[in-house]
Amino acid sequence: MSSIHSFPVIPAFLISTILGFVPSAMASSSAPASLPQVDFSKMGSVGLGGAFSGLDWYSSDSPFTPSSSSSASSSTSFSTNGDTLFYQRGDGVFRPLGSTNAGGVINALCWSSQGSSTNGTLYLGGAFSSISGTNSANVASFDLSSNSFSALGSGLSGNVNTLYCDDGNQEIWFGGSFDAPTGSGGNVALWSTSSSAWSAPAFGGLNGVVQSITPSSNGSSLYFGGNFTTVYVSNSSSLLNTTSMTNSTAGDIISIPYASTNTTTVGTSGYFTPLTISASATESGDYQIHAGPSTSQEGYGSTNGLLCPGSGTWLAEDGAVSNVNLVGDQYLPATGVRVVNGFEDGRSTKHFCFTSLPDRVELNMTYTDPETGKNETCTAWCPLYSDPTISGQDFIFTEGTKNITGFEIQLKEWSGDGAALSSVSLLTDGAYASATATNPGSSCASAKNSTIQSVGDWDTKTAATTSATESYLSSSVSIRDPTYPQVTFYPYVGSAGHYDVYVFIPGCLNIGDCDGRTSVDIEVFPLQGGLGWTSTISEQVDYDTSTLVYSGPVDATSGSFTPTISLALAANPAQVAKGNNYIVVADRVQLTLTGVSTSNSSTSSSTTSTNGTIVSGSNGTNGSIITNSTQINNASYTVAYGVYEYVRSSTSTINAATSFLSNSTETALTRLGFSLDAALNASGSEAASWVVNTIVSLDNTVFVGGDFSASNNYTNVISIDTSSGQAAALASQGLSGIVNTAAVVDGYVFFGGDFTSTAQAGGIALNYIARYDPSSKAWAALGGGVNGFVTDLLASSASSTQLIVMGNFSHVVSSNGNSTATGGYAIYDTSSSDWVDGGILFGNVSAGAVPASSSPVGSESFFAGKVYGSAGNSVSGVATLSTGDDGQAVISSLNGVNFGTTGSGAATPTASASARRRSLIARATNSYTRSWLARFTDALVERSHHLHSRATPPTIPTQHVNAPAVLAGAFWTNSSADGKPTITILGGNFTSASGDVEGIAFYSESSDHGGLTGPTPAVGGTVRTLNVIGNVVYAAGDAVNVEGVGSGIVAYDLQKSAWVTGGMPSLNPASGSSVTVNSIRTRQDSNTVVVAGDFATAGSLSCAAVCLWDSKNAQWSSPGPGLDGGEVRAIDFAGDSSDTLIVAGSFALPNGDVAYVASYSFSNSTWTSLGSLPGPALAVAVDDKNVTNIFAAGYSTSDGTPYLQQWNGATWTAQAESLAPGSIVQQLAFVPMAKEHDPHGAIENDRMLMVSGDLYLEDSGNVTSALYDGANWYPYLIGTSSSGGVGGASDLFWSEQSFSFKVQHFLARGLVVLVAIAIATGLILLFILLAFLFTYCTRRRERKQADQTMYNDEKDRDSDVSSTHQNVFNNVQAALEASLVGGGLGAGAAGATAAARQSARRSDPSSYNDYPLGSDGGYGAGAYVDGQDDDEEEGRETTMRYDFDGPELQEGELAMRAGQRVIILDDEQSTEWWFARDPATGREGVVPATYGEWACWCLTPHERSLLQ
């Protein structure tokens, strides 16, 4: 048995330019140098499919290595029944550190630099009894130097929810639900790292569950959040010095009726505030009041006093029915009327009726009968009682609040001489203030008016309605340089109570200002000494709208306080539809009374508070008993809910859990707690779920999140400015669901929890995580969020722009909707606004901690949760394998590829991941435990023992693969699309997460949206093989079918995006079985497609196990006589022309013999068994088409053990036996190497055999793929399933079907530099030579042209210069030119002599122009040409490219045909015509220069020969 070797480290470098070098770089997904380096680039695009969700390079500390490994981490594994503490290394790999007892939970972590550990200490809290064998109740520490756990004293008695490591004070704070380990109090515990002991907090503890402990921005305070209360007391009542609050207990308001004593009220009408109306009998007021006929008695006829209660009595004319009319042109929201009868001289009114204006409807009203105390109704005759002790009677409009512009009261019946009336007041069901209300200046000297104040430029405008006009304020400001106009309303509130506050916005359609409308900020101050509540609302409304801006307690108006509502242009106004100005409008505000707090219903000494603390001796619902040794009289108690601030500089030692706290210790956060308590008491049954889960601070602002709300004001999150004490609801009123956690990163506040959007209707979608920008007061999504709730957020110490997200989710979603599997852990980068690839965890993460970046472990992060496994690369069933520029292999995922847990094939249960892992590790200790792999091979052995007499081949059991799994892949280039993108085609047992892709999927990196697409209709069944022929992909497998198309094998036209229907007879099974197709391959350079699997016929053709499809003629054929049954699992081709087919499986040959590997010859149509193997073969690979070097893998029929053997053309040879029992080989493939290795056995040194499947190697453990060099095994890839177990590989597929294994050799760097210098020098010399030749040719041509000109001139002048002289000149020139060209003196002389002879004849055209020509334009057949034989040798030969013939030829022109050889005798006398000879006939003449083939015209033939 051979050993498993580590591949030697191989240096790599890349020449980027001739004289520059770039060193290699390692990426997180690059193969380590210790592994053999496969050169995937030679294979084109490469993919690996399988049943895995993560894929990593093998390392010795893999979680699937045997327990006997020396790796320290291998002894610890992820727990299957408890929580695991684990960490992420700087290279992105996750490794476990320890796990809790079964069912144990870790809720919180923090890292501390204190203690003896060099690397620091982790503190953890939760609900557990032990961790990694160390007994510890709910808390423990982990020493990062010794890798050991320790208990903290005797632990804590209950659950721990939160931790804070305070290194500056050498303290570890614990919060949760437990008894104090020392001292009194509870729910808060303090561990001293200096003394290694528990100590009591200065404030004792808190009376309820603690969920969060965080420091303030400057570290001067600690903030505690949870489900608890603290009670503050003030003997002077100076904190809440208002009428309604003076007698309050537990922080709630006390409502005192506004109506005077003995007023007969209806329901809560006594708390209603009468409308303040500026009215008089003249035209000067907003409203006019008239009454008549009036009495003539002096002092009783003025009508102005009717609107001023207590100012006098009005008398009607004696014996006359009289009317009181209030008339105006603006609407008032009235709920009823309060009438005070007049008693003067025996007069009073007995009955009246009330008519509303402008609709003149006599209203039905409800009143209380003072005699019976029952409610009654009236319309035409409403009674006023004559009992002078009744100070007034309330009549409430039965149909509810009504908008009116006035009224008419008719006094119908009276006592005495006539009717009398003291006052009439319109009631509103709360309070009311108008932005256009003028100073009344009425006769009511003590009138209690609502008022406004404005800042900026406002114009009063009116909007006409059907019956009245509405006045409002409008302001227009520049968008480019806006001012911020503001209107502040001061509504007169008669009684404290719980109110809904509405802001009325006039519709823009009626007014005509829609283009400029924007948004406004609203701020409400409802309580004296309380906080302001802010929100932003839109004024971009088409019709009149009332928007709820606050719901909660409101104090009554007093001499020192008035509730206020301010409206101003928003700090970040909404974009206008058109124009350059913002338009802001202000109309009115309305406070609607929703509830009152009386002394009988308030939290008092005799009642129980909801979720609160009892001030005297009884138990609260979620509270504790507070006992005091000192009686406090006349004190005001105020309760803060959910938040507590511990100021470190405080000297107070009062126990916050069991005692009253002084109001001198109140902080801004305390006041927020007061408001939360008031809102809690008003929330009714919803209060049971209230809790504060998280508190974070950013500069002076503290953000609080949890499960709480104030109706239409804030929901689940709120902030408070600690410097000003102003609280504010976040944009869109907060978040729609529970907030669990918050963190500050890069100036933003991030919230995580169980929410999907903002709270306000129409808000943006936020899937469980949101970013809030405090500067712009705006929410933003993190891509598409995550697909489950978030439990914890951490600011990364490795990067100031990265956020670590943890929770119960499995995928992150990008902004384009593509999802990536990450498990319950993800990283978001604010600088790129995108998710960062950080590997994948299989399970949920509940807590995390990051050390200081300066610490020795600063590059690591620590986590805890119910996690079953991990992987460094998240791949959903398929990964790409490539070779980077540094020469190292890289694992990459397909962006957006995400499969769900439902498959396209039939679901089949398999053993759990945990069982599989235990069985495999057990093998390493030789304690063999049956896994599903072992059971698979057991079935094979059992069936092999029951063979029939005619040697029926053993049946290979069907191997079911749980979804999701990619079992096959292929590539197709879309040549018709822009950029010719490559499409990756995937087949298997899967369904996309969206559910619209099944069985077959298409992926394109260049897709606008990325992710997967698929054919329509989708594929059913399990696809095991794919083959692309042209633009058509063939798919087959187990029970493959497409509705309306066919089954067995289906074909899809990728170019047309449509299924191919008809034309292919279906494959049919043998009786009692089903069709399985395992492989489809195309024979090289042919139309033959080989289909292999388990089937009996193709159509009516008998074609068992292997059948041939002619893709051109669309017909099936049998390979020779065909096989006689069985199953073929894998095929390959051998021979240079792929003329031999190699098949592997378990089948019967035509002669009946059982074979496991056989060959088929396409040339003679014969089958041949290749030797004898131990059992069925599951995979086969031919080494570069070499028929004498074949590898096969399978299992033995005797004991099920796996084998790998090599065929040398005559016999099989067993290879190194490192495959342990239970290993299943799915595929064999030869891959090229980047570096040569020592050759072993039958495998050359430039390649290795890649074995993929579900493997177990001795001494290495589980692997997904391994490399084999002929003698040694190298564990290569390890896949992880979604359940944390080992993931198997099925198919390595690539695009280049023919590639070279040859390793490229590179020179040493020094030699490369020398070669580069030599090449550069040679290029320079070449450029110089080319420049010289160009100059030479140019000048020579110029001289020739000059000589020709001189020659012509001499002829014209009958020159005395004879041709002999010219010939001598030419001879000398030719000799000189020949010597310049080179070749030595002798060569030059010889060349000059030959050139002289040719030049002499070319120089004197008369020497041939006088010969008689034949009829064909050439010379006569018997014509003699001087020196003909010599010239044939001297001229250059060329071939005519065109015909030159016909009657148009002129005298002296030589007729020639295209393709005819011709000897060029003179090509220098003219650039257009050559003097030539036909070597066949000896005729001479001129031909066009352009009709011959090109040559270097500037040199003579001899000169050209010398250059050659």
Side-chain angles (χ1 to χ4, degrees), residues 1444-1450 1455:
F1444 183 60
D1445 197 3
E1448 66 274 17
L1449 291 181
Q1450 302 297 317

Side-chain angles (χ1 to χ4, degrees), residues 108 114 180 224 251 285 355 367 371 463 515 599 602 604 707 824 912 982 1084 1178 1322-1323 1479 1507:
Q114 301 298 306
F224 294 79
T355 302
Y367 65 97
E371 296 179 355
D515 290 343
S599 59
S602 300
S604 64
D707 184 4
S912 67
T982 296
Q1084 179 182 339
L1178 303 178
L1323 289 175
L1507 280 177

Side-chain angles (χ1 to χ4, degrees), residues 20 105 140 180 223 341 383 553 772 901 905 941 945 1055 1291 1442:
V105 176
Y223 299 138
N341 208 345
Y772 186 76
T901 57
V941 175
H945 292 165
Q1055 193 73 57
D1291 186 30
Y1442 310 104

Side-chain angles (χ1 to χ4, degrees), residues 1443-1492:
D1443 289 342
F1444 183 60
D1445 197 3
E1448 66 274 17
L1449 291 181
Q1450 302 297 317
E1451 188 176 287
E1453 295 178 345
L1454 178 64
M1456 299 297 289
R1457 295 288 184 181
Q1460 186 174 345
R1461 293 172 55 249
V1462 64
I1463 303 298
I1464 304 301
L1465 302 177
D1466 188 351
D1467 56 9
E1468 297 182 8
Q1469 300 295 330
S1470 171
T1471 58
E1472 298 179 358
W1473 295 89
W1474 293 342
F1475 183 69
R1477 176 187 297 133
D1478 183 351
T1481 63
R1483 292 175 298 172
E1484 295 181 344
V1486 294
V1487 294
T1490 57
Y1491 278 41

Side-chain angles (χ1 to χ4, degrees), residues 567-731:
L567 177 152
L569 175 65
N572 294 280
Q575 184 177 357
V576 301
K578 189 185 299 183
N580 300 316
N581 289 344
Y582 294 120
I583 295 178
V584 182
V585 293
D587 187 351
R588 61 191 186 273
V589 296
Q590 173 85 39
L591 283 72
T592 301
L593 184 68
T594 59
V596 296
S597 296
T598 65
S599 59
N600 292 329
S601 60
S602 300
T603 304
S604 64
S605 60
S606 60
T607 60
T608 302
S609 80
T610 304
N611 270 18
T613 302
I614 307 312
V615 178
S616 64
S618 61
N619 278 323
T621 304
N622 290 323
S624 305
I625 298 176
I626 296 179
T627 58
N628 292 313
S629 60
T630 303
Q631 181 68 38
I632 301 176
N633 296 318
N634 300 321
S636 293
Y637 302 96
T638 313
V639 176
Y641 173 77
V643 293
Y644 174 73
E645 181 175 353
Y646 167 56
V647 181
R648 292 188 180 277
S649 60
S650 173
T651 59
S652 174
T653 58
I654 298 176
N655 193 316
T658 60
S659 303
F660 298 125
L661 302 176
S662 171
N663 68 343
S664 64
T665 63
E666 293 176 10
T667 65
L669 187 66
T670 306
R671 297 187 181 96
L672 177 62
F674 295 157
S675 298
L676 287 173
D677 188 71
L680 180 146
N681 290 332
S683 64
S685 60
E686 296 178 359
S689 65
W690 276 45
V691 65
V692 172
N693 288 323
T694 182
I695 303 176
V696 295
S697 58
L698 176 61
D699 299 329
N700 292 327
T701 304
V702 175
F703 296 85
V704 177
D707 184 4
F708 52 81
S709 65
S711 179
N712 292 293
N713 195 318
Y714 58 87
T715 305
N716 299 318
V717 65
I718 192 172
S719 69
I720 183 169
D721 189 320
T722 56
S723 59
S724 66
Q726 178 178 336
L730 274 60

